[in-house]
Amino acid sequence: MYCLIVEDHPIYKEALEKILGEIFSDIVIRTASSLKALQDIVETEKDFDLILLDLTIPGIHGFSGVLYLRGQYPNTPVVVISAREEAAIIQEAISYGIKGYISKSADKQAIADTLNDVLSGKCSFPPNIDAETEIDESYRQMAQQISELTNKQFQVFTLLTEGLSNQEIANTLFVSLSTAKAHVSAVMKILGVKTRSHVAVIARKLQLEDDVDI
Amino acid sequence: MVIFIAAIPYLEKKLYALQEEKVIAFMNSAQHLIENESQSIDQYWKMIVDEQKKKMADILNIYSSVLKDKNYNVAKTEDFFRENTRLHKLSDKAAFWIMSGNGQIMRVGAIGIKHGKAKLFRDYYGYAIYNDILQKITEAPEGTKRYSENRGNRITDRKVYFKSLQKNNLIIGVEVAVDSLDQELEKQTDSLFSKINTDLKRQRFSKKSNVVVIRGSGEIVASSDKGLRGSDIAEIIGANNKDRINNATKEPSANRIVKLEEKSAEKTTIIWTRHFPDYDCNLLFYINEDTLYGAADQLKIQIAIASVLFILGINFIALLFTGRVSSVVKKLSDLTAGVKKGDLSVRVKVERMDELGELADSINEMILTIEERNASLTNLNACLHKATEDANAANKSKTGFLATISHDLLQPIGAARLFASSIIDNPQESAKRPAEKIKETLKTAEQLIAELVEISKLNAGTIKPDISSFPLNDLFNEISRAYSAKATAKGLQLIIVKTTVIVKSDKKFLRHIINNLVSNAIRYTERGKVLLGCRRQINKEEGNISIEVIDTGRGISNTQKDEVFREFVRLEKADNNGDKCFGLGLAIVKGLTSLLKYEVKLDSKSGKGSRFSIIVPQAISHENESIKDNADIITITAKKVLYIDDDTMQLAYMEKILTEWGLETIPVASKEEAFEYLDEYPGELDIIISDYHIAENLNGVEIINQIRKSGNKEISAFIVTSDRTEEVAENIHNNKIRFINKPINKNELLEEIMRAI
């Protein structure tokens, strides 16, 4: 079995690899801890059996990671693995098409159960979650549009959400200014917006609900 | 009476002295102000003077070398002089001249300066005496001289920088009026004095008094009376016009009071003066005698009235003795006795039209006032008392909270450490059990931290309910799934009564509340059943439903009923099989219900069981709802709105609202982006909404005006702003633009958009 783990916490990543190795004897694992590393893998690898994704990866805005991976690997189940246990977050992730949700406080058995369910084609979520939530049509459309972005366009999308100018995007991607401009207008066209601020607005919608300050 | 009359002259003296003290205090503060401000320009002055000196020296050097070279040929160098005088112009009022050794003025190379200037200088220092000049020059080959020029009312100090060319029998000089040494310096002093002016006006002693700051030359630099002239002042203080004001004011230098009698109006003006030799200025304060002492005279009159009243008081006693008013007085004295005892409800009823009647009325009024004040004070006192008690209780509960926390949190961690050391001691055999224990204890600590975080969030008030309508049965089903197994394992019957009720609440919070109540019920019930159900409220609570969790557990005694909702309160002997309990469950319930403003009821009998009920509002039928929130369901078709705000969060928020209303929103974060859009998609825009503060030097009004100027002349626009200063409101208003305040009220926004369309 070929599995992709997107997780930036080094110790948790190692623990997860070890446990997955114990659960599935035939597993081969690739790991990525940033958007850059993830995109390198996406460019070369085309057939994963399973993707495990943390929701907070540097360079990726909240749920846009889910949408991106769903777009790149439409046939591979994506399971979110996160320290966030709020029902609202899980529910939103479900609406973006994840097949399973594993809390970072879950034990080995729970992880094995969830992954076995997902691999056998079922969905697996915590008991208090209603997997049938319908999302707003506009969100569904937005999700669809983001999953349509190409690898490079997704990169431009994340740079736009950070407020970079065309020149800065060109510098970051090591491309010419006109190429960067072309990418930017392509992204805006796919997302159906007319200004770059609108891209940031969309990205904001995909952010995780902010933590409540205590 | 006699005492009063005798006291009047004494009081008068005292009151007058008080008025004068006020003036002195005022003068002191004004002096302080002038000295402070002057010091700051003193340094500047020095800098300018040094610079001027250097310039003068340069000019003199150049000319003397030229004269030497040209060897007496003064006429030929005329052009050169003229040019260079301009070149090295010290100020418009500077003069340049050459004088021969016998005192004859040979050339004046300055602008607008007549021969007279140099002549004046010559006369002043006696160079006119034939042949004397050579000797003078030998004595002082170069240097500075000062002389005064007296022209009409004004006396000008002039400063001459000169250099003698003994070989050529010539003396050259550059001279300048001291008070016009530099325009910049003048500006500087002007701003100083205008500051003094404003400050003096601000702390004006009275409307009928005047404060003046005047230079020694008679020039007024600051005055509270705009029409005042220097000559007026000279007249007021009795200085001859030609005398320098300084002479009139400098002695005595500290304070001086001059009394002037104006013959025409027979009024006396009193003047206080201060002289500041360092800054060549004088502070004058003058006030009409009547005005100054008028306030004191008023007091005098009041005292006189008081003595008359005193006499009246004696008459009153006389009347009392005659018995004519004894009944009234009796009533009044009863009344005051009552008031003394604290009975403020008493009133006296005297129906007389004379002074006694009035007296009675005013006493009644007085008591009423006292009563009202008393009531408000009592009320305030009670509030303070309550606040103190609350604070004490909060403190106490916090202390208890911390103690319990450290106990409950440290214990499992300590245990985990022990287990860990046991593993280290026995690395191979029997390591599995302690490792499991570690896992268990860590889980306990984790659970505690999670619950604590929740309590803190609730206490901090940072979480807000998200109200929606949903079938209550959804929650019941979830509870059933989550707790059936647990109840069965404990030998309990969990009964959940299905319902069709739709409630209006925060689903997450309500789930949490019911969860905690049910798990609590299961925990504290050893045998029998736990029931979850709901019933409609009929009487006063109509429209609400009561969700109830009933158990056949050990019950809660009356004394414990309030206790159980506190943090970390556990009833004794909770079962300890399986899950741990920290006594936070009901505290969370209490926090959540008070957040949702729900009532929690607890009925319980010790040993028989308990019933927790929460009263939750039922959802109103859908038609009613849609009428209520019309801002949420309205749709406006096919309008394009440009929204300008540099805050992405605001952009996102506005985009959400406008999109819900069916408007196409184009969010932009800067003026540049706005114009990028307008260039790309010209002429499709319907409305502009802009934040007020967009960038450092740019506001929404300016952007709107610029967009309108660039070919979108007729476009509707309005501002949203969180800046509530008048300045901003005025600026927007002056540009004939409407605005609404942030945080945005949906109805206001909708109204503005409708107006714009």
Side-chain angles (χ1 to χ4, degrees):
Chain A
M1 190 181 66
Y2 198 21
C3 172
L4 170 63
I5 299 178
V6 187
E7 164 65 70
D8 67 321
H9 194 288
I11 294 176
Y12 193 84
K13 184 169 75 183
E14 200 181 320
L16 195 59
E17 276 183 89
K18 190 169 176 301
I19 281 184
L20 288 184
E22 287 169 17
I23 298 173
F24 306 102
S25 51
D26 62 336
I27 199 164
V28 179
I29 298 174
R30 295 290 303 269
T31 64
S33 56
S34 68
L35 176 63
K36 177 81 186 57
L38 175 60
Q39 292 203 309
D40 288 347
I41 293 175
V42 167
E43 291 207 337
T44 54
E45 305 298 320
K46 286 299 162 202
D47 43 351
F48 286 109
D49 299 307
L50 178 67
I51 297 171
L52 293 179
L53 169 70
D54 187 2
L55 283 180
T56 48
I57 299 293
I60 303 181
H61 268 262
F63 297 110
S64 64
V66 175
L67 296 174
Y68 167 64
L69 286 170
R70 295 270 301 121
Q72 297 296 323
Y73 301 102
N75 300 319
T76 309
V78 175
V79 174
V80 162
I81 183 148
S82 172
R84 302 289 296 262
E85 296 181 16
E86 293 98 315
I89 289 180
I90 302 175
Q91 221 114 33
E92 195 172 350
I94 292 172
S95 66
Y96 294 131
I98 65 165
K99 296 289 182 222
Y101 195 96
I102 297 171
S103 159
K104 280 200 177 169
S105 59
D107 58 21
K108 185 177 163 185
Q109 193 52 49
I111 294 176
D113 289 349
T114 303
L115 294 183
N116 279 323
D117 276 357
V118 169
L119 287 169
S120 65
K122 285 186 276 183
C123 291
S124 174
F125 300 110
N128 61 332
I129 300 299
D130 179 4
E132 257 90 74
T133 341
E134 271 300 306
I135 45 158
D136 200 79
E137 172 60 23
S138 67
Y139 274 69
R140 204 196 53 72
Q141 194 185 337
M142 177 178 75
Q144 178 62 33
Q145 286 160 344
I146 288 176
S147 64
E148 278 168 20
L149 295 174
T150 67
N151 209 10
K152 189 65 94 186
Q153 284 164 350
F154 185 75
Q155 214 171 342
V156 172
F157 170 75
T158 62
L159 294 176
L160 275 174
T161 61
E162 280 157 28
L164 265 61
S165 68
N166 285 346
Q167 186 60 57
E168 285 166 327
I169 291 172
N171 294 347
T172 314
L173 298 181
F174 301 108
V175 295
S176 71
L177 182 59
S178 56
T179 310
K181 270 185 189 164
H183 281 313
V184 168
S185 31
V187 169
M188 277 162 43
K189 199 174 168 204
I190 291 173
L191 297 181
V193 299
K194 291 167 180 171
T195 62
R196 44 208 302 136
S197 288
H198 211 155
V199 177
V201 164
I202 284 181
R204 199 170 177 91
K205 288 183 185 169
L206 289 169
Q207 262 174 22
L208 298 195
E209 194 183 314
D210 284 336
D211 274 302
V212 177
D213 293 326
I214 296 168
Chain B
M1 184 68 197
V2 180
I3 297 168
F4 273 112
I5 293 165
I8 285 176
Y10 169 76
L11 279 169
E12 183 182 85
K13 211 170 152 191
K14 194 77 192 164
L15 290 169
Y16 284 6
L18 277 174
Q19 284 294 92
E20 281 160 20
E21 269 172 33
K22 259 165 84 184
V23 176
I24 304 289
F26 170 78
M27 294 291 279
N28 286 341
S29 80
Q31 169 167 8
H32 188 67
L33 174 76
I34 290 173
E35 281 173 353
N36 258 358
E37 290 296 325
S38 306
Q39 261 169 20
S40 73
I41 65 157
D42 241 19
Q43 288 189 319
Y44 187 76
W45 172 273
K46 278 198 190 96
M47 201 181 83
I48 295 287
V49 169
D50 286 349
E51 202 178 304
Q52 293 283 11
K53 263 187 190 165
K54 198 175 162 297
K55 259 190 188 174
M56 299 264 189
D58 285 350
I59 294 174
L60 291 178
N61 284 334
I62 291 169
Y63 292 145
S64 51
S65 63
V66 169
L67 282 171
K68 273 176 202 162
D69 287 351
K70 302 286 174 183
N71 205 14
Y72 284 96
N73 199 349
V74 176
K76 273 190 179 173
T77 62
E78 186 174 354
D79 290 344
F80 177 84
F81 292 147
R82 214 175 272 284
E83 227 166 76
N84 285 277
T85 315
R86 287 180 199 277
L87 209 68
H88 296 277
K89 194 167 77 175
L90 283 165
S91 92
D92 283 342
K93 293 177 182 169
F96 167 75
W97 43 254
I98 305 165
M99 196 161 34
S100 72
N102 60 9
Q104 191 192 349
I105 287 119
M106 299 177 63
R107 198 60 64 190
V108 176
I111 312 107
I113 300 291
K114 302 263 156 48
H115 280 66
K117 287 281 178 208
K119 186 171 173 291
L120 206 78
F121 175 76
R122 185 192 64 191
D123 294 345
Y124 201 92
Y125 286 101
Y127 291 147
I129 302 166
Y130 204 68
N131 286 334
D132 198 25
I133 191 145
L134 273 177
Q135 197 193 333
K136 295 264 181 190
I137 288 169
T138 320
E139 275 170 15
E142 65 182 302
T144 346
K145 293 274 186 201
R146 244 179 125 117
Y147 71 94
S148 296
E149 184 190 16
N150 197 339
R151 272 209 296 176
N153 292 341
R154 281 189 61 137
I155 298 151
T156 317
D157 261 338
R158 303 196 72 83
K159 209 172 200 176
V160 181
Y161 296 79
F162 69 90
K163 194 168 187 144
S164 62
L165 309 170
Q166 293 184 41
K167 220 174 88 190
N168 306 354
N169 192 19
L170 283 176
I171 177 165
I172 59 174
V174 180
E175 71 165 271
V176 69
V178 172
D179 62 357
S180 64
L181 247 185
D182 192 279
Q183 279 180 338
E184 246 189 290
L185 181 64
E186 273 180 21
K187 263 187 230 157
Q188 192 73 12
T189 43
D190 277 357
S191 79
L192 157 73
F193 284 119
S194 81
K195 181 166 173 9
I196 292 177
N197 210 359
T198 353
D199 281 10
L200 287 184
K201 266 184 199 158
R202 195 177 301 138
Q203 46 173 289
R204 200 165 181 183
F205 183 76
S206 94
K207 276 184 184 171
K208 289 180 179 169
S209 66
N210 273 315
V211 192
V212 179
V213 178
I214 184 164
R215 281 191 180 145
S217 59
E219 184 190 353
I220 292 175
V221 288
S223 164
S224 57
D225 179 2
K226 272 189 182 167
L228 205 71
R229 285 177 308 168
S231 55
D232 297 337
I233 292 293
E235 202 168 308
I236 290 173
I237 65 169
N240 183 307
N241 272 2
K242 289 184 180 176
D243 286 348
R244 301 179 60 174
I245 304 282
N246 284 351
N247 289 336
T249 56
K250 70 183 166 198
E251 298 217 14
S253 62
N255 285 309
R256 193 171 98 120
I257 302 176
V258 187
K259 289 199 181 192
L260 299 174
E261 286 183 32
E262 287 175 40
K263 277 168 203 157
S264 56
E266 293 190 347
K267 277 183 186 165
T268 309
T269 302
I270 308 182
I271 302 172
W272 276 262
T273 63
R274 297 263 167 112
H275 175 62
F276 304 92
D278 293 346
Y279 311 112
D280 182 38
C281 75
N282 307 283
L283 171 69
L284 268 75
F285 172 82
Y286 59 97
I287 186 166
N288 197 292
E289 191 177 28
D290 294 348
T291 315
L292 179 65
Y293 298 125
D297 284 341
Q298 269 183 3
L299 268 173
K300 231 161 66 183
I301 292 165
Q302 279 169 12
I303 290 164
I305 292 172
S307 35
V308 172
L309 284 177
F310 183 72
I311 297 167
L312 282 176
I314 292 168
N315 282 345
F316 177 74
I317 294 163
L319 284 174
L320 176 71
F321 278 111
T322 62
R324 273 169 60 198
V325 289
S326 59
S327 70
V328 176
V329 171
K330 175 82 177 37
K331 277 185 193 168
L332 288 174
S333 100
D334 287 351
L335 179 75
T336 47
V339 171
K340 232 185 225 169
K341 279 183 201 149
D343 181 6
L344 292 172
S345 65
V346 290
R347 298 285 185 279
V348 64
K349 206 174 173 190
V350 178
E351 285 175 12
R352 291 173 66 133
M353 295 302 286
D354 59 3
E355 289 86 346
L356 277 176
E358 275 174 32
L359 181 64
D361 284 348
S362 63
I363 286 178
N364 280 339
E365 239 168 72
M366 186 181 80
I367 296 173
L368 186 68
T369 316
I370 294 175
E371 200 179 11
E372 281 168 6
R373 291 234 178 113
N374 240 2
S376 78
L377 278 177
T378 314
N379 191 14
L380 182 68
N381 238 354
C383 289
L384 285 174
H385 190 68
K386 169 116 195 355
T388 319
E389 269 189 352
D390 284 355
N392 283 340
N395 204 18
K396 206 173 153 195
S397 111
K398 192 176 150 200
T399 316
F401 188 80
L402 282 176
T404 325
I405 265 202
S406 36
H407 179 256
D408 281 359
L409 197 54
L410 289 178
Q411 193 164 274
I413 290 173
R417 207 178 48 222
L418 290 180
F419 288 131
S421 56
S422 127
I423 295 178
I424 295 164
D425 293 345
N426 312 297
Q428 276 125 25
E429 53 190 283
S430 64
K432 199 180 169 201
R433 223 182 93 77
E436 269 169 8
K437 282 284 175 192
I438 290 178
K439 217 172 97 184
E440 212 171 281
T441 47
L442 285 179
K443 196 179 160 201
T444 312
E446 200 181 337
Q447 190 188 338
L448 172 62
I449 291 169
E451 285 184 22
L452 278 174
V453 167
E454 183 125 19
I455 284 273
S456 319
K457 281 181 186 173
L458 282 172
N459 285 350
T462 48
I463 46 179
K464 301 270 177 298
D466 177 15
I467 304 293
S468 63
S469 301
F470 55 89
L472 184 59
N473 212 45
D474 287 2
L475 294 186
F476 281 13
N477 283 340
E478 281 176 27
I479 300 283
S480 165
R481 280 201 295 273
Y483 289 100
S484 293
K486 206 174 200 177
T488 314
K490 216 181 155 185
L492 298 173
Q493 201 182 346
L494 176 63
I495 304 163
I496 293 179
V497 186
K498 286 196 177 218
T499 172
T500 56
V501 161
I502 294 175
V503 289
K504 194 173 181 185
S505 178
D506 181 301
K507 197 172 183 180
K508 247 178 12 184
F509 290 0
L510 193 58
R511 176 190 295 124
H512 207 136
I513 293 170
I514 301 176
N515 245 320
N516 281 8
L517 288 178
V518 171
S519 79
N520 235 37
I522 293 174
R523 179 175 296 130
Y524 290 101
T525 305
E526 282 80 35
R527 67 184 75 85
K529 5 180 152 161
V530 171
L531 182 139
L532 168 65
C534 73
R535 66 176 88 192
R536 290 194 162 84
Q537 298 294 94
I538 299 161
N539 300 328
K540 53 177 179 165
E541 302 276 1
E542 198 161 349
N544 290 339
I545 68 142
S546 165
I547 301 173
E548 307 192 346
V549 178
I550 304 166
D551 66 55
T552 56
R554 68 193 65 166
I556 297 159
S557 71
N558 275 338
T559 48
Q560 289 174 316
K561 275 182 184 168
D562 284 335
E563 285 283 304
V564 292
F565 288 105
R566 293 233 182 103
E567 286 118 346
F568 293 114
V569 171
R570 275 169 285 199
L571 295 183
E572 284 160 47
K573 283 196 256 167
D575 74 66
N576 267 331
N577 359 330
D579 63 346
K580 290 280 184 288
C581 156
F582 306 104
L584 287 171
L586 286 179
I588 292 175
V589 167
K590 192 188 168 201
L592 287 170
T593 47
S594 68
L595 193 71
L596 291 164
K597 302 200 173 59
Y598 294 165
E599 190 189 342
V600 190
K601 286 186 199 157
L602 167 57
D603 304 310
S604 185
K605 262 192 184 161
S606 220
K608 299 257 171 165
S610 314
R611 175 171 67 192
F612 285 88
S613 357
I614 37 171
I615 315 297
V616 178
Q618 220 178 315
I620 318 162
S621 71
H622 285 289
E623 295 110 46
N624 291 347
E625 207 172 37
S626 52
I627 290 164
K628 233 171 118 191
D629 301 329
N630 64 347
D632 279 333
I633 55 142
I634 202 103
T635 48
I636 309 154
T637 41
K639 292 283 176 190
K640 290 192 177 60
V641 182
L642 181 72
Y643 179 55
I644 311 165
D645 198 316
D646 54 350
D647 181 353
T648 317
M649 207 175 82
Q650 290 289 335
L651 285 179
Y653 178 65
M654 190 65 112
E655 197 258 4
K656 187 164 174 282
I657 301 176
L658 297 180
T659 313
E660 274 169 13
W661 289 343
L663 293 150
E664 182 184 332
T665 316
I666 297 117
V668 296
S670 65
K671 185 185 107 182
E672 290 70 29
E673 203 183 349
F675 276 98
E676 242 171 60
Y677 161 76
L678 289 165
D679 292 345
E680 183 94 356
Y681 305 91
E684 65 164 35
L685 212 54
D686 298 298
I687 305 170
I688 303 169
I689 305 176
S690 177
D691 182 31
Y692 186 77
H693 293 290
I694 300 292
E696 196 113 317
N697 294 315
L698 189 71
N699 62 48
V701 171
E702 286 160 357
I703 295 187
I704 289 171
N705 286 340
Q706 286 177 24
I707 293 176
R708 283 181 173 166
K709 263 185 207 159
S710 68
N712 300 276
K713 206 174 158 192
E714 302 293 333
I715 195 156
S716 316
F718 63 94
I719 299 269
V720 288
T721 178
S722 50
D723 189 335
R724 293 181 184 231
T725 55
E726 262 178 46
E727 194 192 331
V728 167
E730 205 179 295
N731 184 25
I732 300 172
H733 182 76
N734 287 344
N735 281 277
K736 299 197 174 56
I737 295 174
R738 298 179 57 87
F739 71 96
I740 56 176
N741 278 318
K742 279 186 194 171
I744 292 166
N745 170 319
K746 277 191 184 180
N747 283 323
E748 260 179 41
L749 178 66
L750 183 64
E751 201 177 297
E752 239 5 273
I753 287 174
M754 287 312 205
R755 191 191 299 271
I757 293 170

